[in-house]
Structure formats: C-alpha cells, structure tokens
Amino acid sequence: ARTQSIEAVFALNGGERAEGTLRISPWESQDYAFPGEKKEFTAPFRTENGCVRLTVPLPEVELWSPAKPCLYAFEVRDAGGRILGLERFGMAELVTANGRLLLNGKDIFLSGLNAHHSMFDFTAGGNPAEVAARGLLYNRDNSGRAVLRERKKAGLVYMRIHTGPAAPWCFSICDEEGLITSDEWSTLNAVALDPDDPQREVEYLYAHDYSLFFDKTGDLLPMHRKAIRKWVTGNNRFAGLLLFTAGNEMSAADPFFQRFQGFFYRLIK
C-alpha cells in the first residue's frame, strides 16, 4: 500500500450545471470479495457545463497484484445521492529495470498459459471446441472461474490472450481472479473495431497481410490509428491487463510487419 492519486475526467448527460460527489470504494460482488483493507475515498465536484476534471488523492490505496487483486468502484452521485455513473478499476505499476520485470516494485516472473479469446467471448461463433470452452465459462456452476482458480493454485500468474483484441469479459474475470493478462493486435480481427470499409474488413479477416494497413506513402491508415488508440484507452480500466503486443504467427522478416510494429509501439507510448 502506498499513496497514489487518479485524475478523474467524466461528462454528465445534458451538459448542465451540477454538483455532487465522486466516491471510490472497495468493489465486491457475489463472485469477488475485496482482499485488502477496506477504505473509501471521496471528493466533491461542481461543474457549470457538465464536464468534470479533478485529481483525487488515494492515500494508502491497495495496488492490484496476483496475490491481492484489489479492485475499486468508481461511483459518481449527484447532490441528491442519485448514481450518475459507475465503473470498476484497479491500480498496478509494471516497469522494467536492469533486465528485471517489477510489479508494484517487486520482482515477478510471468509463469502462465495461452488462452484463445473465444474462450471468454460467448457472443462469437466458432468451432465445437471453442463453443464448448465458452459453455465451460458461462454456466450455473461457474466452472470457468474454477479452471482459472486451479491455474492460480498451480502457481500461474499470467494468461496470454491469443488472437486479440479480446472481449472485455476475459480481462474482467482475470482481474477478479488475480491473473495478469496481455492483449494483442492481430490482422485477423483488427478492423472489426472500426469497420469503415466492410469490403476490406472481409479481406483482413482471411489474410495476414500487414501491407493493407498502410497508404501509398507508407503511412499508417487513419482508421487504424484511431482504432488502436481506442483499443488501448478503452482497456486501461483493467488492472491486470499490463501488456500490449502486435501480431500473431508472423515472420519478423516481413518488412510491412516491422513497419507496423514501429507505428504500433509509438502509438502505445
């Protein structure tokens, strides 16, 4: 535990003058019990145009880790106590130092397994094995969580999600179970995030062809810049999603793949 702060930025419907309270408290549900010391943090807000931006100090907040996957509720209420918005989040710090990987200042080794994103995405189609995997995850007995918990008991702390961008469900569940995750940007479903051109979307879905990401001058197409930024910023609420990668089953010798990786990691930064 250590002192942190977050910058809260949100907009209220209607854009009118309003005042209320931002409340940050330990998250709990029927499948998840907060594992740390329960503390709440509140900050009043006031806006003239419906847009709010404020820094909220979080003294001694519990950082998320596989050993203690602490998650918090971000709750916005008006002056009358009515809930205007609710989101869940967690805080963690992953850095490299002298060839070591540090999570919240402590060494960590990413021992883990591979998992296809379809295991977590019950809305997608797929082959019988993928359908069975989704059935395992979403059922009355909560068998999918039991599988993840057995992996934790075996000493695993990491899940590589294969062929992303993956469904938000997988990161939400892994956050609760204390599993670090990664998501990857693949040609196979990259355009699905922003299908400006349906004809080219079909082409991408069946081709590992990174040349299709660039215009004639060699610059990354605007639709992909927009989609990658949307992908990363949309996933920053997941505490355990700490790694973003580009490509899957690609040759490092592919010049277009090398160029794409360069653009990708500059956009990530």
Side-chain angles (χ1 to χ4, degrees):
R2 65 187 192 184
T3 300
Q4 300 283 348
S5 65
I6 62 171
E7 184 179 15
V9 181
F10 54 92
L12 305 177
N13 291 336
E16 71 278 3
R17 177 186 302 175
E19 60 182 72
T21 302
L22 171 63
R23 176 174 175 262
I24 294 174
S25 60
W27 174 276
E28 290 194 304
S29 70
Q30 64 179 14
D31 296 311
Y32 169 82
F34 188 81
E37 184 179 356
K38 296 181 180 180
K39 292 184 177 181
E40 295 186 358
F41 313 93
T42 60
F45 68 84
R46 182 181 181 86
T47 176
E48 299 296 325
N49 58 8
C51 295
V52 179
R53 180 187 294 268
L54 71 160
T55 299
V56 184
L58 303 174
E60 298 303 307
V61 68
E62 297 270 8
L63 299 182
W64 184 97
S65 71
K68 292 182 67 176
C70 296
L71 299 171
Y72 290 88
F74 181 100
E75 183 181 286
V76 178
R77 291 179 179 266
D78 64 16
R82 180 170 57 101
I83 294 179
L84 304 177
L86 178 65
E87 184 61 87
R88 192 183 75 179
F89 76 100
M91 300 178 69
E93 180 187 55
L94 185 70
V95 299
T96 57
N98 299 321
R100 298 155 55 208
L101 192 63
L102 305 177
L103 178 65
N104 303 333
K106 298 180 180 179
D107 287 287
I108 187 165
F109 180 76
L110 296 182
S111 57
L113 290 173
N114 183 75
H116 197 276
H117 74 94
S118 61
M119 173 182 176
F120 299 94
D121 186 1
F122 65 89
T123 64
N127 60 45
E130 293 172 349
V131 172
R134 291 195 295 275
L136 175 68
L137 191 64
Y138 298 95
N139 56 65
R140 291 181 302 174
D141 297 326
N142 226 348
S143 300
R145 286 183 185 272
V147 170
L148 296 179
R149 288 170 183 170
E150 287 301 315
R151 292 181 178 185
K152 280 291 296 295
K153 288 180 182 179
L156 304 182
V157 298
Y158 169 64
M159 290 277 288
R160 179 240 176 180
I161 310 302
H162 175 282
T163 313
W169 297 97
C170 76
F171 305 121
S172 180
I173 293 171
C174 288
D175 269 4
E176 293 180 357
E177 299 303 326
L179 287 164
I180 296 171
T181 52
S182 62
D183 200 10
E184 68 184 24
W185 189 267
S186 168
T187 51
L188 291 179
N189 46 1
V191 184
L193 289 179
D194 194 9
D196 289 342
D197 188 339
Q199 186 62 39
R200 296 196 75 183
E201 178 182 4
V202 173
E203 189 173 11
Y204 284 129
L205 288 172
Y206 293 97
H208 282 290
D209 188 354
Y210 278 85
S211 67
L212 300 173
F213 279 71
F214 300 95
D215 61 22
K216 293 181 180 179
T217 69
D219 198 10
L220 193 66
L221 289 168
M223 65 180 289
H224 295 298
R225 290 178 182 273
K226 176 182 175 183
I228 291 172
R229 287 194 178 101
K230 180 179 178 182
W231 172 55
V232 175
T233 57
N235 281 335
N236 62 12
R237 67 186 184 278
F238 299 113
L241 177 51
L242 300 176
L243 302 168
F244 293 90
T245 61
N248 174 60
E249 299 175 1
M250 291 299 301
S251 169
D254 181 346
F256 283 105
F257 180 53
Q258 293 175 4
R259 186 182 301 173
F260 175 78
Q261 281 193 313
F263 276 103
F264 175 84
Y265 290 115
R266 283 197 293 275
L267 284 172
I268 292 292
K269 290 180 180 179

